[in-house]
Amino acid sequence: RKPKYESEGTKIHLDQEELRRSVAVSLRKKVYDVKAFYKTEGVWQAIARNGYFENITLAVISFNALWMSIDTDNNLADSILSADPIFQIAEHSFCVYFSFEWFTRFMSFESKL
């Protein structure tokens, strides 16, 4: 149910009781956590639940975002095959890590469908 409101120009006045109910409902909602769909045993779910794995993944994502700007500014090659070795190594390294991450999370799920 949507809260009732009255509009006065740019200000909106919500009915306080409706607002309280809306907040209470929001606080009772179960927070989505993908780990709830993981298996409870096994190597893959243990890796996927590990805090180090999550932090390393965030670091790799951040470095990849930074690397894209470096690559865009400095890599003048038309394709990855003609790029300098540093650009090829970086691209393949990101691909390997993200493939490993995807595979790890996929294998962690209880149900694959």
Side-chain angles (χ1 to χ4, degrees), residues 3 7 18 25 44 82 86-87:
S7 178
E18 274 299 312
V25 167
W44 297 114
S82 60
I86 189 68
F87 296 109

mmCIF file with all atom_site columns, all heavy atoms in Angstrom, residues 3 7 18 25 44 82 86-87:
data_model
loop_
_atom_site.group_PDB
_atom_site.id
_atom_site.type_symbol
_atom_site.label_atom_id
_atom_site.label_alt_id
_atom_site.label_comp_id
_atom_site.label_asym_id
_atom_site.label_entity_id
_atom_site.label_seq_id
_atom_site.pdbx_PDB_ins_code
_atom_site.Cartn_x
_atom_site.Cartn_y
_atom_site.Cartn_z
_atom_site.occupancy
_atom_site.B_iso_or_equiv
_atom_site.pdbx_formal_charge
_atom_site.auth_seq_id
_atom_site.auth_comp_id
_atom_site.auth_asym_id
_atom_site.auth_atom_id
_atom_site.pdbx_PDB_model_num
ATOM 1  N N   . PRO A 1 3  ? 2.060  5.088   0.642   1.00 0.00 ? 3  PRO A N   1
ATOM 2  C CA  . PRO A 1 3  ? 1.732  6.111   1.640   1.00 0.00 ? 3  PRO A CA  1
ATOM 3  C C   . PRO A 1 3  ? 0.934  7.249   1.023   1.00 0.00 ? 3  PRO A C   1
ATOM 4  O O   . PRO A 1 3  ? 1.140  7.611   -0.133  1.00 0.00 ? 3  PRO A O   1
ATOM 5  C CB  . PRO A 1 3  ? 3.091  6.616   2.104   1.00 0.00 ? 3  PRO A CB  1
ATOM 6  C CG  . PRO A 1 3  ? 4.099  5.668   1.577   1.00 0.00 ? 3  PRO A CG  1
ATOM 7  C CD  . PRO A 1 3  ? 3.459  4.920   0.455   1.00 0.00 ? 3  PRO A CD  1
ATOM 8  N N   . SER A 1 7  ? 0.730  17.353  -1.399  1.00 0.00 ? 7  SER A N   1
ATOM 9  C CA  . SER A 1 7  ? 1.794  18.149  -1.992  1.00 0.00 ? 7  SER A CA  1
ATOM 10 C C   . SER A 1 7  ? 1.511  19.631  -1.822  1.00 0.00 ? 7  SER A C   1
ATOM 11 O O   . SER A 1 7  ? 0.424  20.091  -2.082  1.00 0.00 ? 7  SER A O   1
ATOM 12 C CB  . SER A 1 7  ? 1.923  17.806  -3.476  1.00 0.00 ? 7  SER A CB  1
ATOM 13 O OG  . SER A 1 7  ? 2.910  18.600  -4.076  1.00 0.00 ? 7  SER A OG  1
ATOM 14 N N   . GLU A 1 18 ? 1.115  6.231   8.353   1.00 0.00 ? 18 GLU A N   1
ATOM 15 C CA  . GLU A 1 18 ? 1.435  5.480   7.130   1.00 0.00 ? 18 GLU A CA  1
ATOM 16 C C   . GLU A 1 18 ? 2.937  5.326   6.974   1.00 0.00 ? 18 GLU A C   1
ATOM 17 O O   . GLU A 1 18 ? 3.426  4.275   6.596   1.00 0.00 ? 18 GLU A O   1
ATOM 18 C CB  . GLU A 1 18 ? 0.873  6.193   5.895   1.00 0.00 ? 18 GLU A CB  1
ATOM 19 C CG  . GLU A 1 18 ? -0.550 5.872   5.561   1.00 0.00 ? 18 GLU A CG  1
ATOM 20 C CD  . GLU A 1 18 ? -0.772 4.399   5.243   1.00 0.00 ? 18 GLU A CD  1
ATOM 21 O OE1 . GLU A 1 18 ? -0.019 3.810   4.455   1.00 0.00 ? 18 GLU A OE1 1
ATOM 22 O OE2 . GLU A 1 18 ? -1.714 3.847   5.803   1.00 0.00 ? 18 GLU A OE2 1
ATOM 23 N N   . VAL A 1 25 ? 7.431  -2.184  7.762   1.00 0.00 ? 25 VAL A N   1
ATOM 24 C CA  . VAL A 1 25 ? 7.384  -3.247  6.755   1.00 0.00 ? 25 VAL A CA  1
ATOM 25 C C   . VAL A 1 25 ? 8.740  -3.390  6.081   1.00 0.00 ? 25 VAL A C   1
ATOM 26 O O   . VAL A 1 25 ? 9.245  -4.496  5.877   1.00 0.00 ? 25 VAL A O   1
ATOM 27 C CB  . VAL A 1 25 ? 6.266  -2.974  5.712   1.00 0.00 ? 25 VAL A CB  1
ATOM 28 C CG1 . VAL A 1 25 ? 6.399  -3.884  4.507   1.00 0.00 ? 25 VAL A CG1 1
ATOM 29 C CG2 . VAL A 1 25 ? 4.904  -3.134  6.359   1.00 0.00 ? 25 VAL A CG2 1
ATOM 30 N N   . TRP A 1 44 ? 33.874 -25.281 -3.290  1.00 0.00 ? 44 TRP A N   1
ATOM 31 C CA  . TRP A 1 44 ? 33.478 -24.096 -4.062  1.00 0.00 ? 44 TRP A CA  1
ATOM 32 C C   . TRP A 1 44 ? 32.667 -23.122 -3.221  1.00 0.00 ? 44 TRP A C   1
ATOM 33 O O   . TRP A 1 44 ? 32.900 -21.914 -3.274  1.00 0.00 ? 44 TRP A O   1
ATOM 34 C CB  . TRP A 1 44 ? 32.722 -24.504 -5.323  1.00 0.00 ? 44 TRP A CB  1
ATOM 35 C CG  . TRP A 1 44 ? 33.564 -25.309 -6.242  1.00 0.00 ? 44 TRP A CG  1
ATOM 36 C CD1 . TRP A 1 44 ? 33.405 -26.620 -6.587  1.00 0.00 ? 44 TRP A CD1 1
ATOM 37 C CD2 . TRP A 1 44 ? 34.748 -24.870 -6.926  1.00 0.00 ? 44 TRP A CD2 1
ATOM 38 N NE1 . TRP A 1 44 ? 34.402 -27.018 -7.431  1.00 0.00 ? 44 TRP A NE1 1
ATOM 39 C CE2 . TRP A 1 44 ? 35.240 -25.968 -7.666  1.00 0.00 ? 44 TRP A CE2 1
ATOM 40 C CE3 . TRP A 1 44 ? 35.434 -23.669 -6.986  1.00 0.00 ? 44 TRP A CE3 1
ATOM 41 C CZ2 . TRP A 1 44 ? 36.386 -25.888 -8.445  1.00 0.00 ? 44 TRP A CZ2 1
ATOM 42 C CZ3 . TRP A 1 44 ? 36.579 -23.585 -7.767  1.00 0.00 ? 44 TRP A CZ3 1
ATOM 43 C CH2 . TRP A 1 44 ? 37.047 -24.683 -8.484  1.00 0.00 ? 44 TRP A CH2 1
ATOM 44 N N   . SER A 1 82 ? 47.675 -7.513  -31.758 1.00 0.00 ? 82 SER A N   1
ATOM 45 C CA  . SER A 1 82 ? 48.757 -6.621  -32.175 1.00 0.00 ? 82 SER A CA  1
ATOM 46 C C   . SER A 1 82 ? 49.165 -5.638  -31.073 1.00 0.00 ? 82 SER A C   1
ATOM 47 O O   . SER A 1 82 ? 50.027 -4.790  -31.285 1.00 0.00 ? 82 SER A O   1
ATOM 48 C CB  . SER A 1 82 ? 48.351 -5.859  -33.443 1.00 0.00 ? 82 SER A CB  1
ATOM 49 O OG  . SER A 1 82 ? 47.197 -5.098  -33.207 1.00 0.00 ? 82 SER A OG  1
ATOM 50 N N   . ILE A 1 86 ? 52.291 -6.123  -22.512 1.00 0.00 ? 86 ILE A N   1
ATOM 51 C CA  . ILE A 1 86 ? 51.703 -5.742  -21.224 1.00 0.00 ? 86 ILE A CA  1
ATOM 52 C C   . ILE A 1 86 ? 50.181 -5.663  -21.300 1.00 0.00 ? 86 ILE A C   1
ATOM 53 O O   . ILE A 1 86 ? 49.481 -6.076  -20.366 1.00 0.00 ? 86 ILE A O   1
ATOM 54 C CB  . ILE A 1 86 ? 52.302 -4.420  -20.682 1.00 0.00 ? 86 ILE A CB  1
ATOM 55 C CG1 . ILE A 1 86 ? 51.838 -4.157  -19.251 1.00 0.00 ? 86 ILE A CG1 1
ATOM 56 C CG2 . ILE A 1 86 ? 51.951 -3.241  -21.574 1.00 0.00 ? 86 ILE A CG2 1
ATOM 57 C CD1 . ILE A 1 86 ? 52.386 -5.104  -18.253 1.00 0.00 ? 86 ILE A CD1 1
ATOM 58 N N   . PHE A 1 87 ? 49.660 -5.178  -22.422 1.00 0.00 ? 87 PHE A N   1
ATOM 59 C CA  . PHE A 1 87 ? 48.206 -5.075  -22.582 1.00 0.00 ? 87 PHE A CA  1
ATOM 60 C C   . PHE A 1 87 ? 47.589 -6.460  -22.767 1.00 0.00 ? 87 PHE A C   1
ATOM 61 O O   . PHE A 1 87 ? 46.505 -6.738  -22.252 1.00 0.00 ? 87 PHE A O   1
ATOM 62 C CB  . PHE A 1 87 ? 47.866 -4.163  -23.764 1.00 0.00 ? 87 PHE A CB  1
ATOM 63 C CG  . PHE A 1 87 ? 48.308 -2.745  -23.556 1.00 0.00 ? 87 PHE A CG  1
ATOM 64 C CD1 . PHE A 1 87 ? 49.368 -2.218  -24.283 1.00 0.00 ? 87 PHE A CD1 1
ATOM 65 C CD2 . PHE A 1 87 ? 47.690 -1.951  -22.611 1.00 0.00 ? 87 PHE A CD2 1
ATOM 66 C CE1 . PHE A 1 87 ? 49.781 -0.906  -24.084 1.00 0.00 ? 87 PHE A CE1 1
ATOM 67 C CE2 . PHE A 1 87 ? 48.098 -0.635  -22.402 1.00 0.00 ? 87 PHE A CE2 1
ATOM 68 C CZ  . PHE A 1 87 ? 49.151 -0.117  -23.133 1.00 0.00 ? 87 PHE A CZ  1
#
